[in-house]
Amino acid sequence: MKYYKLLISGLIVFFFIQSCERRDNYDEDLAQTLNIINELKGNNTSASLDHLQGIINLVLPPRSDASNVTLEIDVPSGIQISPSSGSVVDLTSPIELLVTSSNSTRVYTLYTKVLPNQIAFLGNQPTYNDLIANADDDVASAAQWLKDTYPQDFIYLDATTVTISDLASVNVVLFYFDQVGTSTLPSVFTEGTAKSTFIQYLVEGGKMLLGGMATSYAETIGRDKSSMLTIKGNGSGFDSPDTWTIDGGKNFQNSKLTHPIYTFNQGSISFDGDGYIPVIDGGFREDHNNIWDAASLLNPGHELGQFGEFERLFGGKVLAVWGGVTDECCPGIIEFIPVEPFQGTIIAIGIGGIEFNMNDGRTNAFENNVLGIYKNSIDYLSTL
């Protein structure tokens, strides 16, 4: 009996070893075709490759001609691909790419999407002209700047009537809001049609740039779940001789100064001698902060590392704080990256020194930095 038990045990071990060896040999003999395309670009735009499914997704910039796309394809030596690199192809419908190695052929399917071109301003007046005539001075200035900056693509959206179909051709929505006396957004934005529309828009991949008091809209539509947007100001304002700045990384554990909101349009942002970005010069300012207090995330004392913790917990990349703040206490600009179920992206700019209009009539010496940050944000979001 002992002999048979030993024999059976030995056979089990033998077959186990042989199975492992066969598996190892099988893996070694696999044709190296799974990741056979290194990179694909269409009109200099990089595509994403899903080698497991054999799917390539190419997202072209707004106004691209998908019927006339030049492919650049990088494959390992000895691999043939059809259509070949350098080919000009019509991508208005999906096409197949045949990739051939010495002993096998694989088919990839290339899907192409052209991003919509419209840049929208969201307001609470029936028309753009009504907004310019009746809105807060900073809101009107923000809308006018957007229209002047993107004259071919600008559209106005009235929160009272906006629907998801209105957003079908919209690439980025700018929602900037400001007022004196309360930081609470009007109910037309936070209830009913507008709220449900923008929840759906963001779930389906929409892009929003929120400014001023509108940073709270990330909470309204359910994307910002931190409950940390607690530093708010809505007073009538005051005079100050100081220049106010923001910090994109000098005092961060991990600097964000290479982020596109600072770099997308080269030369649009200037720095002072301390490495900060000036945003408002001496004179009257409203100081309407709408920013986050991250103090509770780690140990008391606003220690370094809280911004990383905010990103880990809430999917929010902290991009700026007030200049001169030497700890990671108070996020002032945040990029909320896609997190299920939201496929879209939000950039929220809530630092009170970033104003669109100077109430005392002066020209802000650092206006270009304010407008540069907003334009970089829009242009970056428009590529996503």
Side-chain angles (χ1 to χ4, degrees), residues 67-358:
S67 69
N68 186 32
V69 178
T70 301
L71 297 180
E72 299 173 60
I73 310 171
D74 178 34
V75 294
S77 178
I79 300 298
Q80 291 78 46
I81 187 164
S82 177
S84 61
S85 184
S87 298
V88 178
V89 294
D90 182 350
L91 298 181
T92 53
S93 299
I95 67 168
E96 291 186 343
L97 285 80
L98 272 63
V99 186
T100 305
S101 63
S102 58
N103 57 359
S104 64
T105 298
R106 187 166 191 215
V107 177
Y108 282 82
T109 303
L110 172 58
Y111 296 91
T112 303
K113 173 185 177 182
V114 177
L115 288 170
N117 62 285
Q118 291 180 338
I119 309 295
F121 190 91
L122 176 64
N124 62 339
Q125 297 289 328
T127 69
Y128 168 79
N129 288 335
D130 291 325
L131 185 86
I132 297 301
N134 299 307
D136 174 271
D137 64 294
D138 285 291
V139 175
S141 293
Q144 187 168 11
W145 168 80
L146 192 71
K147 187 174 188 293
D148 292 344
T149 305
Y150 302 93
Q152 288 185 294
D153 299 327
F154 176 86
I155 66 166
Y156 175 74
L157 299 173
D158 175 16
T160 306
T161 59
V162 66
T163 64
I164 195 65
S165 62
D166 296 328
L167 298 170
S169 58
V170 171
N171 194 336
V172 180
V173 175
L174 170 58
F175 178 21
Y176 182 95
F177 196 80
D178 190 49
Q179 61 192 350
V180 174
T182 177
S183 300
T184 302
L185 296 175
S187 60
V188 67
F189 296 114
T190 60
E191 300 173 6
T193 301
K195 179 179 178 180
S196 60
T197 293
F198 284 102
I199 290 173
Q200 182 177 350
Y201 178 65
L202 193 65
V203 166
E204 293 178 355
K207 286 87 60 91
M208 299 190 75
L209 176 58
L210 306 178
M213 294 174 179
T215 59
S216 65
Y217 209 53
E219 284 186 336
T220 298
I221 60 179
R223 176 57 189 88
D224 177 13
K225 298 185 180 301
S226 70
S227 300
M228 293 180 178
L229 187 65
T230 58
I231 303 174
K232 300 180 180 182
N234 50 64
S236 58
F238 53 88
D239 273 298
S240 171
D242 300 328
T243 293
W244 287 356
T245 65
I246 66 171
D247 178 9
K250 178 180 178 181
N251 293 309
F252 291 20
Q253 191 172 64
N254 296 294
S255 174
K256 294 298 189 293
L257 287 174
T258 58
H259 190 277
I261 71 161
Y262 304 117
T263 64
F264 196 91
N265 295 293
Q266 290 294 327
S268 60
I269 305 296
S270 61
F271 294 79
D272 67 13
D274 295 319
Y276 301 130
I277 300 169
V279 291
I280 192 169
D281 63 0
F284 191 89
R285 72 277 322 275
E286 289 182 305
D287 192 25
H288 288 175
N289 282 301
N290 220 56
I291 63 178
W292 296 257
D293 186 350
S296 62
L297 289 181
L298 296 176
N299 295 320
H302 307 289
E303 67 181 74
L304 289 173
Q306 288 179 141
F307 291 170
E309 190 72 353
F310 190 96
E311 182 174 349
R312 184 184 72 82
L313 292 172
F314 307 115
K317 295 181 180 179
V318 178
L319 304 179
V321 297
W322 278 103
V325 175
T326 57
D327 49 36
E328 296 190 354
C329 70
C330 309
I333 301 178
I334 295 176
E335 178 187 10
F336 289 99
I337 62 177
V339 171
E340 287 296 329
F342 300 101
Q343 299 180 54
T345 301
I346 291 174
I347 293 178
I349 302 174
I351 292 177
I354 300 179
E355 297 185 30
F356 271 89
N357 185 65
M358 301 296 99

Side-chain angles (χ1 to χ4, degrees), residues 28-78:
E28 290 170 2
D29 292 340
L30 275 175
Q32 299 299 307
T33 58
L34 186 59
N35 296 355
I36 208 164
I37 297 177
N38 295 329
E39 184 180 30
L40 183 144
K41 291 183 179 180
N43 289 354
N44 295 315
T45 299
S46 294
S48 63
L49 288 81
D50 183 341
H51 297 288
L52 189 62
Q53 300 295 326
I55 291 174
I56 303 172
N57 286 302
L58 176 64
V59 181
L60 294 173
R63 301 186 182 278
S64 296
D65 180 5
S67 69
N68 186 32
V69 178
T70 301
L71 297 180
E72 299 173 60
I73 310 171
D74 178 34
V75 294
S77 178

